[in-house]
Amino acid sequence: PEIPFGARLTGATINNKQVHATPADHGQDSHAAIDLKIPNGVTHCSISYEGGVLLSVPRNQLLPGDTSSGVKITKVKYTGDTLVIRADTLSSHDSSIFLRTTAQIAKVSGATLHRLANGSSELVLAAVANTGITRNLYRSVDIIVDLSPVRRKR
């Protein structure tokens, strides 16, 4: 099952029995890995975790023959208090990545942060100024999110 990047696994059960789960980070998402043989019939799995950062992108409804215009997250690295997101986006229009975390976001570079009413945040990647090119070009951008604690002056 997918879990937020940097989340700390606190437990896992299969059919109400404790099992061992390990985090498995991939280029664009993170999962809880459980090694087991699944019996015939219905199997219930529960994963518990704390913290982390969950990313999502708006889903575009495409029809056959349509060209993709959505954001593609190609790599995520979460080290210490820094989250680096690499994404391919169309340069001709603004693009968004949604971020949900319980951590305080101290600053963002490479995108503009908008805090949403539901407690999530939206990272907006602005369109590139018109360069006279009439076709859409994909660009790769790095977004750096500083999740370090905000220190207050005394």
Side-chain angles (χ1 to χ4, degrees):
E2 184 176 6
I3 60 172
F5 284 97
R8 186 176 68 80
L9 290 173
T10 58
T13 61
I14 299 289
N15 293 331
N16 296 318
K17 293 182 181 177
Q18 289 287 101
V19 294
H20 179 70
T22 55
D25 293 330
H26 306 285
Q28 67 276 12
D29 57 16
S30 186
H31 293 263
I34 301 171
D35 190 20
L36 70 128
K37 290 184 181 184
I38 298 180
N40 289 334
V42 176
T43 300
H44 295 278
C45 176
S46 176
I47 304 292
S48 301
Y49 60 84
E50 290 179 348
V53 178
L54 190 60
L55 301 173
S56 63
V57 296
R59 199 167 234 156
N60 294 338
Q61 291 295 102
L62 298 176
L63 297 173
D66 286 351
T67 301
S68 175
S69 59
V71 175
K72 179 180 179 186
I73 296 175
T74 58
K75 185 175 182 181
V76 177
K77 186 174 182 181
Y78 191 14
T79 306
D81 293 328
T82 303
L83 176 72
V84 178
I85 305 164
R86 177 161 291 164
D88 290 341
T89 69
L90 283 176
S91 58
S92 58
H93 65 276
D94 290 355
S95 300
S96 295
I97 296 173
F98 296 99
L99 183 148
R100 187 169 45 203
T101 182
T102 56
Q104 180 76 26
I105 299 172
K107 69 178 183 178
V108 172
S109 60
T112 303
L113 176 70
H114 296 283
R115 298 188 193 280
L116 304 176
N118 65 2
S120 295
S121 297
E122 179 182 17
L123 300 170
V124 178
L125 296 88
V128 175
N130 187 351
T131 59
I133 298 172
T134 56
R135 63 190 174 114
N136 287 327
L137 295 178
Y138 272 92
R139 61 185 169 154
S140 182
V141 295
D142 286 344
I143 304 161
I144 301 171
V145 180
D146 182 1
L147 298 169
S148 58
V150 176
R151 291 176 177 81
R152 299 184 204 266
K153 292 182 180 180
R154 292 182 181 203

